[in-house]
Amino acid sequence: MAYWLMKSEPDCFSIDDLASRPAQTEAWDGVRNYQVRNMMRDQMRPGDLAFFYHSSCPQPGIYGEMEIVSNAYPDPTQFDPDHEHHDPKARREEPRWLLVEVRFRRRFDPPVLLEVLRAQAARLQGLRILERGSRLSVTPVTERHWNLIQKLGAGEG
DNA sequence: GCCAACGTTGGC
DNA sequence: GCCAACGTTGGC
């Protein structure tokens, strides 16, 4: 089993949105980066766990935890001309973009903010979100980092 | 296949 | 809104 960190802008889709969905499950669509697509396709599997990270907001950070509940499959929004993530170069017989389905597990209350992660930088060395210029919307998390962040979420930092 | 121009991300 | 960092595009 692997661990991940997945970013979303909460104005667009937040952990509260996920928690209020039927079955608390959602298709994580809109990924338009090849590195992320390949990670989802080749490495992400049902049963993996992921942090839900809120980006581009007043208090960026990890707001909770979810489970990957499907393998990667074609993202239908790439074929929809009216969708903001439409890709005119994508063809149904040769999809360019994939998604996975995720299910809510729990919130961190309070969230583990980016500033808290930065304060633990020495112990979180290698965590991709803390690296300079890190922009990928999905990144792997080591088990060691996962467990440490769990403790931060429980106020045991 | 190089690389400049351009677009996007995301913290601040 | 700024801007650094990085990915993508497209002319050559």
Side-chain angles (χ1 to χ4, degrees):
Chain A
M1 187 190 66
Y3 300 98
W4 306 93
L5 182 148
M6 300 170 75
K7 298 182 193 174
S8 179
E9 300 187 15
D11 286 349
C12 187
F13 185 71
S14 72
I15 190 148
D16 291 332
D17 294 327
L18 178 61
S20 59
R21 284 290 191 269
Q24 301 188 314
T25 297
E26 179 79 354
W28 197 268
D29 61 19
V31 168
R32 294 294 182 268
N33 174 282
Y34 289 107
Q35 288 182 64
V36 173
R37 180 200 66 181
N38 294 348
M39 272 192 291
M40 292 197 304
R41 181 189 63 198
D42 300 335
Q43 295 171 254
M44 201 175 259
R45 293 294 174 259
D48 287 359
L49 299 179
F51 290 131
F52 195 129
Y53 182 91
H54 285 186
S55 66
S56 294
C57 60
Q59 300 267 55
I62 296 171
Y63 280 69
E65 188 185 314
M66 54 194 173
E67 180 178 351
I68 309 303
V69 293
S70 81
N71 280 305
Y73 64 87
D75 177 346
T77 67
Q78 70 193 299
F79 306 121
D80 180 355
D82 297 326
H83 198 282
E84 65 169 320
H85 296 306
H86 177 237
D87 183 343
K89 295 179 183 171
R91 314 214 175 286
R92 286 189 181 275
E93 61 274 21
E94 196 179 347
R96 300 178 112 196
W97 305 115
L98 306 175
L99 59 75
V100 296
E101 291 174 14
V102 299
R103 183 186 300 135
F104 174 82
R105 276 173 63 94
R106 67 187 186 105
R107 287 187 185 77
F108 286 148
D109 189 20
V112 181
L113 298 181
L114 179 58
E115 61 189 31
V116 173
L117 296 173
R118 287 202 194 287
Q120 300 290 326
R123 288 197 281 169
L124 290 172
Q125 193 164 18
L127 185 69
R128 300 284 290 275
I129 197 85
L130 297 181
E131 287 180 358
R132 187 181 169 82
S134 168
R135 296 190 313 166
L136 294 184
S137 63
V138 177
T139 49
V141 174
T142 65
E143 184 173 21
R144 184 185 191 83
H145 289 163
W146 178 272
N147 291 335
L148 175 56
I149 293 167
Q150 293 284 337
K151 288 184 182 177
L152 296 175
E156 298 170 18

